[in-house]
Amino acid sequence: MKFTRRHFMKHSLFLGSSLLLSPVLLHAGQRNEIRWIPAYEKLEMEGKLAQRIKQAYAIFENCQLCPRKCGVNRQKGEKGFCRAPVNPVIFSYHPHFGEEMSLVGEKGSGTIFFSNCNLRCVFCQNWPIAHEGKGKEVQDEDLADRMLHLQKMGCHNINLVTPTHVMPNILNATRIALKKGLHLPLMYNTSGYEPLEILKMLEGIVDIYKPDMKYMDGEKAAKYSAGASDYPEVTKKAIVEMHRQVGVLKLDKRGMAIRGVIIRHLVMPNRVAGTEKFVKWMAETLPKSTYVNIMAQYRVEYKAYDYPEIARGITAQEFLEAMDSAEKYGLTNLDPQSIALRNFYRHRRSN
Ligand code: SF4
């Protein structure tokens, strides 16, 4: 082929544009690998975290941190329904290997169990902690040190269990820990019973929300969770808000969760948890790719023996029915361990 002046111009332009573009493409490639930044660190860089902590602390004077809205002054030592003091009480903190796989990884989820609870369910599996408040009262600085200790142990996230009544302390401790090098996703592991206005204060701070959806029926919520008849309505709104803030679950290249919502639903005997209603609501309200963990580990604990309808474990059939509902409504991001259990029960049934 004859190499004409036109060819020369065309090739020169192509080569030139490649040379010009390559640094841009390289930069774009690098941008994908830019160090992940926790939400709270970004908010601190914007100069907004300190103000948020101040606002949160003011709520202690007329406590409205949860839908119980007791209005007590916790700064003055008054106690509301949860019986929590103004300082956080911690039962334990350690790497936890019983969470979802994308939270556990190799080194575990850095879990901090807070004592006291605003829901107080009759079947609570952590009743010495949640109902009786066993634990050690600490300062926010100590809480920050525990976060850093978990990071030093190699944990993949900070997993705050039952955080609602200590939200201001968590915010303050997170900022203290950030200044000392905290660089892990912050996970809010909650019963889901959260007022919208409080959740809005957490926007840009929490990386991962892990709410429960315990019941879909107000009467059942009232019966088993100390009169919380508004639990289904409050929690549905809370989950929608959580999703608005952080979206569907995102993993890093190691498969570890870095942002998003994980919804947990415990199947209860005799359809008490309203699983079919829950998955229907999920499918109609949030993306079907929302991560949902339908759990089979209900066990009779605490005062559940006093309620015949929940005074037994669930059957394989009840679990299969729950998983079949999730399939029927098209949920596509179910926890792999619950899928494995479903497959095991199906296999057993067919043999
Ligand atoms: S956090 Fe405790 S004191 Fe505050 S409103 Fe809720 S139950 Fe009442």
Side-chain angles (χ1 to χ4, degrees):
M1 185 179 76
K2 204 176 160 193
F3 204 71
T4 61
R5 190 179 136 100
R6 207 161 145 222
H7 277 107
F8 172 75
M9 291 295 288
K10 202 171 151 190
H11 280 255
S12 300
L13 277 171
F14 174 74
L15 186 65
S17 59
S18 308
L19 287 171
L20 276 172
L21 274 176
S22 51
V24 178
L25 290 172
L26 190 65
H27 181 66
Q30 283 171 339
R31 215 169 15 205
N32 286 337
E33 285 163 26
I34 276 177
R35 207 174 73 112
W36 170 84
I37 297 177
Y40 51 88
E41 189 174 334
K42 285 184 207 153
L43 205 69
E44 174 68 7
M45 287 191 294
E46 290 166 18
K48 295 178 185 166
L49 188 53
Q51 179 58 23
R52 207 67 80 78
I53 295 166
K54 208 172 156 196
Q55 282 171 355
Y57 254 87
I59 302 171
F60 272 147
E61 288 168 22
N62 171 21
C63 194
Q64 314 273 324
L65 282 171
C66 84
R68 303 272 183 196
K69 298 194 186 291
C70 302
V72 293
N73 188 336
R74 288 173 58 189
Q75 292 284 18
K76 287 192 174 162
E78 292 172 13
K79 290 188 180 170
F81 178 84
C82 64
R83 304 181 193 134
V86 77
N87 290 320
V89 181
I90 295 176
F91 181 76
S92 62
Y93 65 105
H94 51 80
H96 188 10
F97 293 87
E99 299 283 21
E100 287 74 8
M101 286 190 297
S102 59
L103 300 170
V104 168
E106 276 183 27
K107 305 275 187 166
S109 174
T111 307
I112 301 175
F113 284 96
F114 292 103
S115 307
N116 304 108
C117 178
N118 65 335
L119 206 51
R120 296 224 297 266
C121 308
V122 295
F123 54 91
C124 180
Q125 297 181 352
N126 293 327
W127 58 270
I129 314 171
H131 288 246
E132 297 185 355
K134 288 197 185 343
K136 187 179 175 204
E137 190 170 329
V138 300
Q139 300 296 316
D140 294 354
E141 290 75 11
D142 304 315
L143 175 56
D145 287 345
R146 281 158 174 76
M147 291 176 176
L148 291 165
H149 184 74
L150 292 165
Q151 176 169 271
K152 209 167 164 194
M153 290 177 85
C155 293
H156 302 282
N157 43 67
I158 299 296
N159 180 356
L160 304 155
V161 181
T162 323
T164 314
H165 56 287
V166 284
M167 181 275 266
N169 313 95
I170 289 170
L171 266 47
N172 193 26
T174 301
R175 186 163 185 253
I176 296 167
L178 170 65
K179 287 175 185 287
K180 293 182 181 176
L182 184 70
H183 189 75
L184 287 178
L186 198 68
M187 181 165 75
Y188 216 66
N189 188 342
T190 161
S191 66
Y193 195 44
E194 305 276 350
L196 269 188
E197 60 277 16
I198 296 296
L199 283 178
K200 286 190 172 150
M201 293 179 74
L202 294 172
E203 183 164 13
I205 297 174
V206 169
D207 297 289
I208 303 167
Y209 283 106
K210 191 159 83 150
D212 292 334
M213 186 72 224
K214 290 177 186 290
Y215 332 88
M216 297 300 284
D217 179 284
E219 271 180 38
K220 292 197 169 64
K223 185 172 180 185
Y224 306 118
S225 291
S229 56
D230 57 349
Y231 176 89
E233 292 318 307
V234 165
T235 304
K236 281 193 267 181
K237 284 184 194 146
I239 290 175
V240 170
E241 170 63 15
M242 291 171 189
H243 175 78
R244 183 192 71 74
Q245 289 183 23
V246 296
V248 294
L249 191 68
K250 291 179 195 69
L251 309 179
D252 66 10
K253 53 187 177 190
R254 299 166 306 159
M256 300 309 302
I258 47 172
R259 190 172 172 82
V261 178
I262 296 173
I263 302 174
R264 285 185 140 194
H265 175 80
L266 183 66
V267 181
M268 292 181 71
N270 292 306
R271 300 178 184 154
V272 161
T275 305
E276 178 157 12
K277 228 171 152 186
F278 159 66
V279 288
K280 183 172 186 290
W281 171 80
M282 271 285 314
E284 288 170 358
T285 314
L286 297 177
K288 292 195 170 81
S289 58
T290 303
Y291 194 109
V292 179
N293 186 358
I294 294 180
M295 301 183 296
Q297 61 259 46
Y298 175 81
R299 54 179 201 262
V300 189
E301 283 276 0
Y302 195 49
K303 293 185 177 163
Y305 292 97
D306 298 338
Y307 299 82
E309 66 281 16
I310 58 167
R312 64 162 173 84
I314 63 163
T315 61
Q317 183 50 38
E318 282 170 328
F319 182 67
L320 282 174
E321 185 184 289
M323 293 297 285
D324 288 348
S325 293
E327 218 170 301
K328 178 174 139 194
Y329 288 101
L331 302 190
T332 60
N333 200 1
L334 297 173
D335 182 77
Q337 290 170 93
S338 55
I339 291 176
L341 186 61
R342 178 200 66 189
N343 294 346
F344 169 75
Y345 283 148
R346 277 185 183 166
H347 180 72
R348 209 173 63 173
R349 193 172 54 181
S350 63
N351 284 304

